[in-house]
Amino acid sequence: KQEVTQIPAALSVPEGENLVLNCSFTDSAIYNLQWFRQDPGKGLTSLLLIQSSQREQTSGRLNASLDKSSGRSTLYIAASQPGDSATYLCAVCHNNNDMRFGAGTRLTVKP
Amino acid sequence: GAGVSQTPSNKVTEKGKYVELRCDPISGHTALYWYRQSLGQGPEFLIYFQGTGAADDSGLPNDRFFAVRPEGSVSTLKIQRTERGDSAVYLCASSLQGAQDTQYFGPGTRLTVL
């Protein structure tokens, strides 16, 4: 059974810092991996989708990498802003559409 | 068009009652997913629809849970004989065709079973 782990569980940084969130998964036979953002009391917003054949995806200040063989992905956030404060969730999807989520990293960016 | 919508946003019910939760996916999305999220956890997969059929219901916890999507658009998650342990946020997502596409999530329905 796929297990998805996110470290750290919580992170607090001052505004302007670059930061890295980590995601690991136990079954490398994935179809794709997605990073989501979740604000309190809200649904999830997709940030980046990496197909299994890709190594990374970039969107603005966000860069996500994927190393399928080692079962790892990172989400890099450059020049963090208070508006980036949210919970960031990593999810791996198998080709049967079964998507498994990590528990998330709760990020706080202090002004 | 509009994003994924879910109704109601909040539902409080008593133990043993029956509840229905509704999801309106993005128009034209053939894939629809239901998840359950407990406090401090990531969403847990429940069921996946491709069109009108449940392609994968392996995440449904037991036979008290059932979901339908009769016309391939709106879906209803039905929970019979609710238990306190069913309390959670129930999230719905849709994607254009399936696993290869980005999933778009609704705001969720917070279910509280007293």
Side-chain angles (χ1 to χ4, degrees):
Chain A
K1 178 184 173 185
Q2 179 72 272
E3 300 284 343
V4 182
T5 304
Q6 290 189 245
I7 295 173
L11 180 64
S12 181
V13 300
E15 182 177 4
E17 245 187 45
N18 303 325
L19 57 102
V20 175
L21 307 181
N22 297 290
C23 172
S24 62
F25 46 95
T26 55
D27 182 354
S28 62
I30 65 171
Y31 194 72
N32 59 41
L33 182 146
Q34 282 189 247
W35 282 93
F36 292 87
R37 169 187 173 135
Q38 186 171 33
D39 293 281
K42 306 283 187 183
L44 280 67
T45 301
S46 180
L47 299 172
L48 291 163
L49 168 67
I50 310 177
Q51 303 293 349
S52 63
S53 58
Q54 297 176 321
R55 299 283 297 197
E56 66 176 341
Q57 283 285 335
T58 297
S59 176
R61 294 182 293 108
L62 305 179
N63 175 276
S65 69
L66 174 62
D67 184 342
K68 205 171 71 161
S69 61
S70 68
R72 296 178 189 275
S73 176
T74 61
L75 178 67
Y76 174 82
I77 302 177
S80 58
Q81 303 170 357
D84 295 332
S85 298
T87 296
Y88 290 81
L89 293 154
C90 162
V92 298
C93 189
H94 297 275
N95 60 7
N96 61 354
N97 283 275
D98 183 354
M99 182 174 276
R100 302 279 171 165
F101 283 81
T105 294
R106 190 172 67 255
L107 173 66
T108 302
V109 181
K110 297 180 178 179
Chain B
V4 178
S5 62
Q6 292 185 247
T7 55
S9 55
N10 280 285
K11 176 71 178 179
V12 180
T13 191
E14 294 179 343
K15 180 175 177 295
K17 299 289 189 183
Y18 168 82
V19 296
E20 290 189 351
L21 311 179
R22 176 187 168 110
C23 172
D24 280 86
I26 293 173
S27 177
H29 281 195
T30 62
L32 185 145
Y33 309 78
W34 281 99
Y35 297 87
R36 178 169 69 174
Q37 186 174 27
S38 299
L39 193 63
Q41 300 296 316
E44 172 192 15
F45 170 79
L46 296 177
I47 186 169
Y48 155 63
F49 286 91
Q50 183 56 254
T52 61
D56 182 355
D57 64 357
S58 61
L60 295 178
N62 51 60
D63 61 6
R64 295 187 297 106
F65 288 75
F66 189 71
V68 295
R69 194 187 185 198
E71 298 179 359
S73 177
V74 170
S75 176
T76 304
L77 178 66
K78 308 181 181 192
I79 310 174
Q80 298 177 324
R81 305 184 303 281
T82 52
E83 300 177 357
R84 292 193 179 87
D86 298 335
S87 296
V89 175
Y90 289 80
L91 294 166
C92 175
S94 70
S95 69
L96 187 60
Q97 292 186 320
Q100 68 274 28
D101 302 311
T102 298
Q103 290 191 22
Y104 295 89
F105 280 76
T109 293
R110 181 177 298 278
L111 175 66
T112 303
V113 182
L114 301 177

Short mmCIF file of all heavy atoms in Angstrom, two decimals, chain A residues 31-32 34 36 38 41-44 46 49 51 89 93-104, chain B residues 33 35 37 40-45 48 56 58 91 98-108 110:
data_model
loop_
_atom_site.label_atom_id
_atom_site.label_comp_id
_atom_site.label_asym_id
_atom_site.label_seq_id
_atom_site.Cartn_x
_atom_site.Cartn_y
_atom_site.Cartn_z
N TYR A 31 1.83 7.25 -11.43
CA TYR A 31 1.45 7.81 -12.72
C TYR A 31 1.82 9.28 -12.77
O TYR A 31 2.31 9.78 -13.77
CB TYR A 31 -0.05 7.61 -12.91
CG TYR A 31 -0.54 7.84 -14.30
CD1 TYR A 31 -0.27 6.93 -15.32
CD2 TYR A 31 -1.31 8.97 -14.61
CE1 TYR A 31 -0.73 7.14 -16.60
CE2 TYR A 31 -1.77 9.17 -15.89
CZ TYR A 31 -1.49 8.27 -16.88
OH TYR A 31 -1.95 8.47 -18.15
N ASN A 32 1.55 10.00 -11.71
CA ASN A 32 1.97 11.38 -11.58
C ASN A 32 1.96 11.79 -10.12
O ASN A 32 1.53 11.02 -9.25
CB ASN A 32 1.11 12.33 -12.43
CG ASN A 32 -0.37 12.30 -12.07
OD1 ASN A 32 -0.74 12.26 -10.90
ND2 ASN A 32 -1.23 12.34 -13.07
N GLN A 34 1.16 15.36 -7.63
CA GLN A 34 0.66 16.73 -7.60
C GLN A 34 0.96 17.37 -6.26
O GLN A 34 0.92 16.70 -5.22
CB GLN A 34 -0.86 16.75 -7.81
CG GLN A 34 -1.29 16.56 -9.24
CD GLN A 34 -2.78 16.81 -9.44
OE1 GLN A 34 -3.54 15.92 -9.75
NE2 GLN A 34 -3.21 18.03 -9.27
N PHE A 36 -0.55 20.41 -3.87
CA PHE A 36 -1.74 21.21 -3.66
C PHE A 36 -1.50 22.19 -2.52
O PHE A 36 -0.69 21.95 -1.63
CB PHE A 36 -2.94 20.34 -3.27
CG PHE A 36 -3.45 19.44 -4.36
CD1 PHE A 36 -2.90 18.17 -4.52
CD2 PHE A 36 -4.48 19.84 -5.19
CE1 PHE A 36 -3.38 17.32 -5.51
CE2 PHE A 36 -4.97 18.99 -6.17
CZ PHE A 36 -4.41 17.73 -6.33
N GLN A 38 -3.81 24.17 0.49
CA GLN A 38 -5.11 24.20 1.15
C GLN A 38 -5.12 25.31 2.20
O GLN A 38 -4.31 25.31 3.12
CB GLN A 38 -5.45 22.86 1.80
CG GLN A 38 -6.86 22.80 2.38
CD GLN A 38 -7.27 21.41 2.82
OE1 GLN A 38 -6.44 20.63 3.28
NE2 GLN A 38 -8.55 21.09 2.70
N GLY A 41 -10.24 25.79 6.11
CA GLY A 41 -11.66 25.72 5.81
C GLY A 41 -11.99 25.72 4.33
O GLY A 41 -13.16 25.85 3.96
N LYS A 42 -10.99 25.53 3.50
CA LYS A 42 -11.21 25.59 2.05
C LYS A 42 -10.84 24.24 1.41
O LYS A 42 -10.23 23.38 2.03
CB LYS A 42 -10.32 26.68 1.42
CG LYS A 42 -10.48 28.04 2.04
CD LYS A 42 -11.74 28.73 1.60
CE LYS A 42 -11.78 30.16 2.09
NZ LYS A 42 -13.04 30.83 1.73
N GLY A 43 -11.21 24.13 0.14
CA GLY A 43 -10.79 22.96 -0.64
C GLY A 43 -9.34 23.10 -1.07
O GLY A 43 -8.63 24.01 -0.63
N LEU A 44 -8.91 22.19 -1.92
CA LEU A 44 -7.53 22.17 -2.37
C LEU A 44 -7.38 22.87 -3.71
O LEU A 44 -8.25 22.77 -4.57
CB LEU A 44 -7.06 20.73 -2.53
CG LEU A 44 -6.65 19.97 -1.27
CD1 LEU A 44 -7.83 19.72 -0.36
CD2 LEU A 44 -5.99 18.66 -1.66
N SER A 46 -4.76 23.04 -6.92
CA SER A 46 -3.60 22.40 -7.52
C SER A 46 -2.55 23.44 -7.87
O SER A 46 -2.85 24.47 -8.45
CB SER A 46 -4.02 21.64 -8.79
OG SER A 46 -2.90 21.02 -9.38
N LEU A 49 1.58 19.81 -11.33
CA LEU A 49 1.38 18.39 -11.65
C LEU A 49 2.62 17.91 -12.40
O LEU A 49 3.00 18.51 -13.41
CB LEU A 49 0.13 18.23 -12.52
CG LEU A 49 -0.09 16.87 -13.19
CD1 LEU A 49 -0.37 15.81 -12.15
CD2 LEU A 49 -1.22 16.94 -14.20
N GLN A 51 4.20 14.66 -14.31
CA GLN A 51 3.99 13.32 -14.82
C GLN A 51 5.19 12.45 -14.45
O GLN A 51 6.28 12.96 -14.20
CB GLN A 51 3.79 13.35 -16.34
CG GLN A 51 2.64 14.22 -16.81
CD GLN A 51 1.27 13.71 -16.39
OE1 GLN A 51 1.13 12.58 -15.90
NE2 GLN A 51 0.25 14.53 -16.58
N LEU A 89 0.03 20.14 0.40
CA LEU A 89 -0.19 18.70 0.35
C LEU A 89 0.42 18.10 -0.91
O LEU A 89 0.30 18.66 -1.99
CB LEU A 89 -1.69 18.39 0.36
CG LEU A 89 -2.42 18.74 1.66
CD1 LEU A 89 -3.88 19.01 1.38
CD2 LEU A 89 -2.30 17.60 2.65
N CYS A 93 -0.46 9.67 -7.63
CA CYS A 93 -1.57 9.03 -8.32
C CYS A 93 -1.05 7.83 -9.10
O CYS A 93 -0.03 7.92 -9.77
CB CYS A 93 -2.25 10.02 -9.25
SG CYS A 93 -3.79 9.43 -9.98
N HIS A 94 -1.77 6.73 -8.98
CA HIS A 94 -1.46 5.54 -9.77
C HIS A 94 -2.37 5.51 -10.98
O HIS A 94 -3.37 6.22 -11.04
CB HIS A 94 -1.64 4.28 -8.92
CG HIS A 94 -0.71 4.24 -7.75
ND1 HIS A 94 0.57 3.74 -7.85
CD2 HIS A 94 -0.86 4.66 -6.48
CE1 HIS A 94 1.16 3.85 -6.67
NE2 HIS A 94 0.32 4.40 -5.83
N ASN A 95 -2.07 4.66 -11.94
CA ASN A 95 -2.83 4.71 -13.18
C ASN A 95 -4.24 4.16 -13.05
O ASN A 95 -5.01 4.20 -13.99
CB ASN A 95 -2.09 3.99 -14.32
CG ASN A 95 -1.83 2.54 -14.00
OD1 ASN A 95 -2.31 2.03 -12.98
ND2 ASN A 95 -1.07 1.89 -14.85
N ASN A 96 -4.59 3.71 -11.85
CA ASN A 96 -5.98 3.32 -11.61
C ASN A 96 -6.76 4.47 -10.98
O ASN A 96 -7.86 4.28 -10.49
CB ASN A 96 -6.05 2.10 -10.70
CG ASN A 96 -5.43 2.36 -9.34
OD1 ASN A 96 -4.86 3.41 -9.10
ND2 ASN A 96 -5.55 1.40 -8.45
N ASN A 97 -6.19 5.66 -11.01
CA ASN A 97 -6.82 6.86 -10.48
C ASN A 97 -6.88 6.92 -8.96
O ASN A 97 -7.55 7.77 -8.41
CB ASN A 97 -8.22 7.06 -11.06
CG ASN A 97 -8.17 7.60 -12.46
OD1 ASN A 97 -8.08 8.80 -12.67
ND2 ASN A 97 -8.18 6.73 -13.44
N ASP A 98 -6.21 6.00 -8.30
CA ASP A 98 -6.16 6.02 -6.85
C ASP A 98 -5.12 7.05 -6.43
O ASP A 98 -3.93 6.88 -6.71
CB ASP A 98 -5.78 4.63 -6.35
CG ASP A 98 -5.76 4.53 -4.84
OD1 ASP A 98 -5.93 5.56 -4.17
OD2 ASP A 98 -5.57 3.41 -4.34
N MET A 99 -5.54 8.13 -5.79
CA MET A 99 -4.63 9.19 -5.38
C MET A 99 -4.44 9.14 -3.87
O MET A 99 -5.42 9.09 -3.12
CB MET A 99 -5.18 10.56 -5.79
CG MET A 99 -4.26 11.71 -5.43
SD MET A 99 -4.82 13.30 -6.08
CE MET A 99 -4.16 13.25 -7.71
N ARG A 100 -3.18 9.13 -3.45
CA ARG A 100 -2.85 9.06 -2.02
C ARG A 100 -2.16 10.35 -1.61
O ARG A 100 -1.20 10.77 -2.24
CB ARG A 100 -1.91 7.89 -1.74
CG ARG A 100 -2.45 6.55 -2.17
CD ARG A 100 -3.41 5.99 -1.17
NE ARG A 100 -4.10 4.81 -1.68
CZ ARG A 100 -4.78 3.96 -0.92
NH1 ARG A 100 -4.88 4.17 0.38
NH2 ARG A 100 -5.37 2.93 -1.47
N PHE A 101 -2.66 10.93 -0.53
CA PHE A 101 -2.15 12.20 -0.04
C PHE A 101 -1.25 12.00 1.18
O PHE A 101 -1.46 11.09 1.99
CB PHE A 101 -3.31 13.10 0.38
CG PHE A 101 -4.04 13.75 -0.76
CD1 PHE A 101 -5.00 13.05 -1.46
CD2 PHE A 101 -3.77 15.05 -1.11
CE1 PHE A 101 -5.69 13.64 -2.50
CE2 PHE A 101 -4.46 15.67 -2.15
CZ PHE A 101 -5.41 14.95 -2.84
N GLY A 102 -0.30 12.93 1.32
CA GLY A 102 0.40 13.06 2.58
C GLY A 102 -0.46 13.87 3.54
O GLY A 102 -1.51 14.40 3.17
N ALA A 103 0.02 13.99 4.78
CA ALA A 103 -0.73 14.74 5.80
C ALA A 103 -0.53 16.24 5.67
O ALA A 103 -1.25 17.01 6.30
CB ALA A 103 -0.33 14.26 7.19
N GLY A 104 0.45 16.65 4.86
CA GLY A 104 0.65 18.07 4.61
C GLY A 104 1.72 18.71 5.47
O GLY A 104 2.11 18.19 6.52
N TYR B 33 -14.23 12.46 -8.31
CA TYR B 33 -13.65 11.77 -7.16
C TYR B 33 -14.29 12.27 -5.86
O TYR B 33 -14.59 13.45 -5.74
CB TYR B 33 -12.15 12.07 -7.06
CG TYR B 33 -11.36 11.84 -8.33
CD1 TYR B 33 -11.40 12.76 -9.37
CD2 TYR B 33 -10.56 10.70 -8.49
CE1 TYR B 33 -10.68 12.56 -10.54
CE2 TYR B 33 -9.83 10.50 -9.65
CZ TYR B 33 -9.90 11.44 -10.67
OH TYR B 33 -9.18 11.23 -11.82
N TYR B 35 -13.41 12.29 -1.68
CA TYR B 35 -12.41 12.08 -0.64
C TYR B 35 -13.02 12.45 0.71
O TYR B 35 -14.00 13.21 0.78
CB TYR B 35 -11.19 12.98 -0.87
CG TYR B 35 -10.42 12.73 -2.14
CD1 TYR B 35 -10.79 13.37 -3.32
CD2 TYR B 35 -9.33 11.87 -2.17
CE1 TYR B 35 -10.09 13.15 -4.50
CE2 TYR B 35 -8.62 11.66 -3.34
CZ TYR B 35 -9.01 12.30 -4.49
OH TYR B 35 -8.32 12.09 -5.66
N GLN B 37 -11.63 13.97 4.53
CA GLN B 37 -10.48 14.55 5.20
C GLN B 37 -10.80 14.78 6.66
O GLN B 37 -11.73 15.52 7.00
CB GLN B 37 -10.07 15.87 4.54
CG GLN B 37 -8.78 16.45 5.09
CD GLN B 37 -8.31 17.67 4.34
OE1 GLN B 37 -9.10 18.39 3.75
NE2 GLN B 37 -7.00 17.92 4.35
N GLY B 40 -6.24 17.59 10.43
CA GLY B 40 -4.80 17.36 10.49
C GLY B 40 -4.28 16.28 9.56
O GLY B 40 -3.09 15.94 9.62
N GLN B 41 -5.16 15.76 8.73
CA GLN B 41 -4.76 14.69 7.80
C GLN B 41 -4.96 15.14 6.36
O GLN B 41 -5.71 16.08 6.08
CB GLN B 41 -5.59 13.44 8.06
CG GLN B 41 -5.45 12.87 9.45
CD GLN B 41 -4.05 12.39 9.73
OE1 GLN B 41 -3.42 11.74 8.89
NE2 GLN B 41 -3.53 12.72 10.89
N GLY B 42 -4.31 14.42 5.45
CA GLY B 42 -4.59 14.65 4.04
C GLY B 42 -5.87 13.97 3.64
O GLY B 42 -6.38 13.11 4.37
N PRO B 43 -6.45 14.33 2.50
CA PRO B 43 -7.66 13.66 2.03
C PRO B 43 -7.43 12.17 1.80
O PRO B 43 -6.35 11.76 1.38
CB PRO B 43 -7.96 14.37 0.71
CG PRO B 43 -7.29 15.71 0.84
CD PRO B 43 -6.06 15.44 1.63
N GLU B 44 -8.46 11.40 2.07
CA GLU B 44 -8.44 9.95 1.91
C GLU B 44 -9.39 9.58 0.78
O GLU B 44 -10.57 9.94 0.81
CB GLU B 44 -8.87 9.29 3.22
CG GLU B 44 -9.07 7.80 3.17
CD GLU B 44 -9.79 7.29 4.42
OE1 GLU B 44 -10.37 8.10 5.17
OE2 GLU B 44 -9.80 6.07 4.62
N PHE B 45 -8.87 8.88 -0.21
CA PHE B 45 -9.67 8.50 -1.39
C PHE B 45 -10.84 7.60 -0.99
O PHE B 45 -10.69 6.66 -0.23
CB PHE B 45 -8.77 7.77 -2.38
CG PHE B 45 -9.50 7.12 -3.53
CD1 PHE B 45 -9.93 7.87 -4.61
CD2 PHE B 45 -9.74 5.75 -3.51
CE1 PHE B 45 -10.59 7.26 -5.66
CE2 PHE B 45 -10.40 5.13 -4.56
CZ PHE B 45 -10.83 5.89 -5.64
N TYR B 48 -14.05 6.79 -7.22
CA TYR B 48 -13.76 7.47 -8.47
C TYR B 48 -14.79 7.05 -9.52
O TYR B 48 -15.05 5.87 -9.69
CB TYR B 48 -12.35 7.13 -8.92
CG TYR B 48 -12.07 7.24 -10.41
CD1 TYR B 48 -12.18 8.46 -11.06
CD2 TYR B 48 -11.70 6.12 -11.14
CE1 TYR B 48 -11.92 8.55 -12.41
CE2 TYR B 48 -11.45 6.21 -12.50
CZ TYR B 48 -11.55 7.42 -13.13
OH TYR B 48 -11.30 7.52 -14.48
N ASP B 56 -13.77 2.85 -9.52
CA ASP B 56 -12.99 2.36 -8.39
C ASP B 56 -13.66 2.82 -7.11
O ASP B 56 -13.68 4.01 -6.83
CB ASP B 56 -11.55 2.89 -8.46
CG ASP B 56 -10.66 2.38 -7.34
OD1 ASP B 56 -11.16 1.68 -6.44
OD2 ASP B 56 -9.46 2.68 -7.36
N SER B 58 -12.87 1.30 -4.12
CA SER B 58 -12.11 0.56 -3.11
C SER B 58 -11.89 1.35 -1.83
O SER B 58 -11.54 0.77 -0.80
CB SER B 58 -10.76 0.13 -3.69
OG SER B 58 -10.00 1.27 -4.06
N LEU B 91 -14.72 15.90 0.51
CA LEU B 91 -14.28 16.70 -0.62
C LEU B 91 -14.61 15.98 -1.93
O LEU B 91 -14.48 14.76 -2.03
CB LEU B 91 -12.77 16.93 -0.56
CG LEU B 91 -12.26 17.77 0.61
CD1 LEU B 91 -10.75 17.62 0.74
CD2 LEU B 91 -12.61 19.23 0.41
N GLY B 98 -9.18 11.98 -16.47
CA GLY B 98 -8.75 10.96 -15.53
C GLY B 98 -7.43 11.30 -14.89
O GLY B 98 -7.11 12.47 -14.68
N ALA B 99 -6.66 10.26 -14.59
CA ALA B 99 -5.46 10.40 -13.77
C ALA B 99 -4.42 11.33 -14.37
O ALA B 99 -3.63 11.93 -13.65
CB ALA B 99 -4.83 9.03 -13.53
N GLN B 100 -4.41 11.47 -15.68
CA GLN B 100 -3.38 12.28 -16.31
C GLN B 100 -3.65 13.77 -16.19
O GLN B 100 -2.79 14.58 -16.53
CB GLN B 100 -3.25 11.91 -17.80
CG GLN B 100 -4.45 12.30 -18.66
CD GLN B 100 -5.56 11.26 -18.68
OE1 GLN B 100 -5.73 10.50 -17.73
NE2 GLN B 100 -6.30 11.21 -19.77
N ASP B 101 -4.82 14.13 -15.71
CA ASP B 101 -5.23 15.53 -15.67
C ASP B 101 -5.28 16.07 -14.25
O ASP B 101 -5.52 15.33 -13.29
CB ASP B 101 -6.61 15.70 -16.31
CG ASP B 101 -6.65 15.23 -17.75
OD1 ASP B 101 -5.75 15.63 -18.52
OD2 ASP B 101 -7.56 14.44 -18.09
N THR B 102 -5.11 17.37 -14.13
CA THR B 102 -5.21 18.04 -12.84
C THR B 102 -6.59 17.85 -12.24
O THR B 102 -7.60 17.96 -12.93
CB THR B 102 -4.92 19.54 -13.01
OG1 THR B 102 -3.59 19.70 -13.48
CG2 THR B 102 -5.10 20.29 -11.69
N GLN B 103 -6.61 17.57 -10.94
CA GLN B 103 -7.90 17.47 -10.23
C GLN B 103 -8.24 18.83 -9.64
O GLN B 103 -7.39 19.47 -9.01
CB GLN B 103 -7.82 16.43 -9.12
CG GLN B 103 -7.72 15.01 -9.65
CD GLN B 103 -7.93 13.96 -8.57
OE1 GLN B 103 -8.51 14.22 -7.52
NE2 GLN B 103 -7.45 12.76 -8.83
N TYR B 104 -9.49 19.23 -9.82
CA TYR B 104 -9.99 20.49 -9.27
C TYR B 104 -10.97 20.16 -8.15
O TYR B 104 -11.93 19.41 -8.38
CB TYR B 104 -10.67 21.32 -10.36
CG TYR B 104 -9.71 21.76 -11.44
CD1 TYR B 104 -9.47 20.94 -12.55
CD2 TYR B 104 -9.01 22.95 -11.33
CE1 TYR B 104 -8.58 21.33 -13.53
CE2 TYR B 104 -8.11 23.34 -12.32
CZ TYR B 104 -7.89 22.52 -13.40
OH TYR B 104 -6.99 22.89 -14.38
N PHE B 105 -10.71 20.74 -6.99
CA PHE B 105 -11.48 20.39 -5.79
C PHE B 105 -12.56 21.42 -5.49
O PHE B 105 -12.40 22.62 -5.73
CB PHE B 105 -10.55 20.30 -4.58
CG PHE B 105 -9.82 19.01 -4.49
CD1 PHE B 105 -8.73 18.75 -5.31
CD2 PHE B 105 -10.21 18.02 -3.59
CE1 PHE B 105 -8.05 17.54 -5.25
CE2 PHE B 105 -9.54 16.82 -3.52
CZ PHE B 105 -8.46 16.57 -4.34
N GLY B 106 -13.66 20.92 -4.92
CA GLY B 106 -14.68 21.77 -4.36
C GLY B 106 -14.31 22.19 -2.95
O GLY B 106 -13.30 21.71 -2.40
N PRO B 107 -15.11 23.06 -2.33
CA PRO B 107 -14.79 23.56 -0.99
C PRO B 107 -15.07 22.56 0.12
O PRO B 107 -14.65 22.76 1.25
CB PRO B 107 -15.71 24.78 -0.85
CG PRO B 107 -16.85 24.48 -1.75
CD PRO B 107 -16.29 23.70 -2.89
N GLY B 108 -15.79 21.49 -0.21
CA GLY B 108 -16.05 20.46 0.79
C GLY B 108 -17.36 20.65 1.54
O GLY B 108 -17.94 21.74 1.57
N ARG B 110 -18.63 19.91 5.40
CA ARG B 110 -18.24 19.49 6.75
C ARG B 110 -19.40 18.75 7.38
O ARG B 110 -20.46 19.35 7.64
CB ARG B 110 -17.85 20.70 7.59
CG ARG B 110 -17.40 20.32 9.01
CD ARG B 110 -16.95 21.55 9.78
NE ARG B 110 -15.80 22.16 9.16
CZ ARG B 110 -14.54 21.77 9.30
NH1 ARG B 110 -14.26 20.74 10.07
NH2 ARG B 110 -13.57 22.41 8.69
#
